[in-house]
Amino acid sequence: DRKRRRSWRWIAWPGVLLLACLAAALFWRRHEAGQSQPPRTPPPIPVVVAQAAQGDIGVYVTGLGTVTPLNTITVTTRVDGQLMAVKYKEGERVREGDPLVEIDPRPFQVALEQAEAQLVKDQAALQNAQIDLKRYEELITKNAVPQQILQTQRATVAQAEATVKNDQATIAGAKLNLIYCHITAPISGRIGLRLVDPGNFVSAAAATPLLVITQTQPISIIFTIPEQALASVRAPLRAGKTLSVDAIDRNGQQILAKGKLTTLDNQIDQTTGTLRLRATVPNTDDALFRNQFVNARMLVQEKRSVTLIPNAAVQRNAQTTFVYV
């Protein structure tokens, strides 16, 4: 057994040594082959080429805006009474002076007639007092009546005159209440939803208004710009130019309306570093609604004969903007 083991050892060692040599040779060959090959280059990047051209382009200042009416009227009643009739339709456009609602005028008509009757009575009393005064003035020249009676009669005439003036004021107030019973549109605009139905009792002290009228033609846009853009806006304004403003939808794709810059606010908001501006839009097609969100784009400068390239070609980093040529 010992002889057989020794013979196997003599046979196994040369085989193991041969396998180790073959593995080392293979590894060295692969290493040499890897160093002899050039490094791989990244694949080329596909690009799209656009040709620059000469043309005109506008310089814009943009900001977030809200559609704000120039006038919003909350119509309430000045007298108490039953709402007899509503003469408008919800959402319709009305003109200044158009009838809106009717309040029961009968109590105020009765009050007017009573005031007129009281005026006739007091005027008769005044006329009688004036006749007595004239008679006493004639008698005082003949020493037929005491001076005290004349002074008392003059006071009576003055009191009667004041009573007549008070009656006239009462009549004017009654007539004014009759006018308040027929409520008309104070401005031209669009009416909102009806807030009070006919038949209800309305009061001047009630918190609920009768209706709301919003002026929509023209209408304004309140928008903000960063304070860094203030100089570019004020420069054309000092030169007497009128800046145009476009109202663009929420997605920034469609121009809803066009208008002009009306005014600038008198202070910068320190919390946001922005300035509020107002633009007025004709809004003849009613494209804008109250409290609607829009993107405001204001043209502050127009450059002529400059080199134009697609906007997507302009690249940006932390320091500047650049383009590949």
Side-chain angles (χ1 to χ4, degrees), residues 109-264:
Q109 183 65 42
V110 173
L112 175 60
E113 293 174 356
Q114 290 175 343
E116 290 175 342
Q118 185 66 35
L119 175 62
V120 173
K121 177 182 177 181
D122 292 336
Q123 283 177 338
L126 173 61
Q127 185 177 6
N128 186 46
Q130 289 173 340
I131 292 174
D132 290 343
L133 176 62
K134 186 176 181 180
R135 185 172 65 253
Y136 290 150
E137 288 175 343
E138 292 176 354
L139 293 175
I140 199 66
T141 59
K142 302 176 182 179
N143 295 324
V145 293
Q147 186 70 28
Q148 181 65 32
I149 294 178
L150 177 62
Q151 297 298 332
T152 301
Q153 189 60 32
R154 286 176 177 174
T156 302
V157 170
Q159 183 178 2
E161 290 175 345
T163 303
V164 169
K165 289 184 178 180
N166 182 71
D167 293 339
Q168 292 172 345
T170 303
I171 291 174
K175 290 181 178 179
L176 188 60
N177 287 335
L178 282 175
I179 295 175
Y180 289 157
C181 289
H182 309 281
I183 300 178
T184 59
I187 62 171
S188 298
R190 184 176 296 279
I191 297 179
L193 299 179
R194 189 172 62 205
L195 303 178
V196 180
D197 297 327
N200 286 283
F201 184 86
V202 294
S203 172
T208 303
L210 300 179
L211 60 125
V212 177
I213 302 178
T214 300
Q215 181 181 353
T216 59
Q217 296 179 356
I219 203 167
S220 71
I221 300 173
I222 302 295
F223 63 100
T224 58
I225 62 172
E227 60 178 318
Q228 296 85 350
L230 180 58
S232 61
V233 175
R234 296 189 63 186
L237 291 178
R238 289 197 198 98
K241 296 182 179 179
T242 301
L243 302 183
S244 62
V245 179
D246 297 334
I248 306 175
D249 64 357
R250 183 181 294 269
N251 297 326
Q253 302 294 329
Q254 181 183 1
I255 297 178
L256 302 176
K258 293 179 176 291
K260 298 183 182 300
L261 180 66
T262 306
T263 184
L264 286 71

Side-chain angles (χ1 to χ4, degrees), residues 65-88:
T66 304
V67 178
T68 306
L70 294 174
N71 293 291
T72 300
I73 304 298
T74 301
V75 180
T76 58
T77 176
R78 295 187 178 185
V79 294
D80 300 344
Q82 186 179 13
L83 187 62
M84 302 298 293
V86 174
K87 298 185 177 182
Y88 67 88

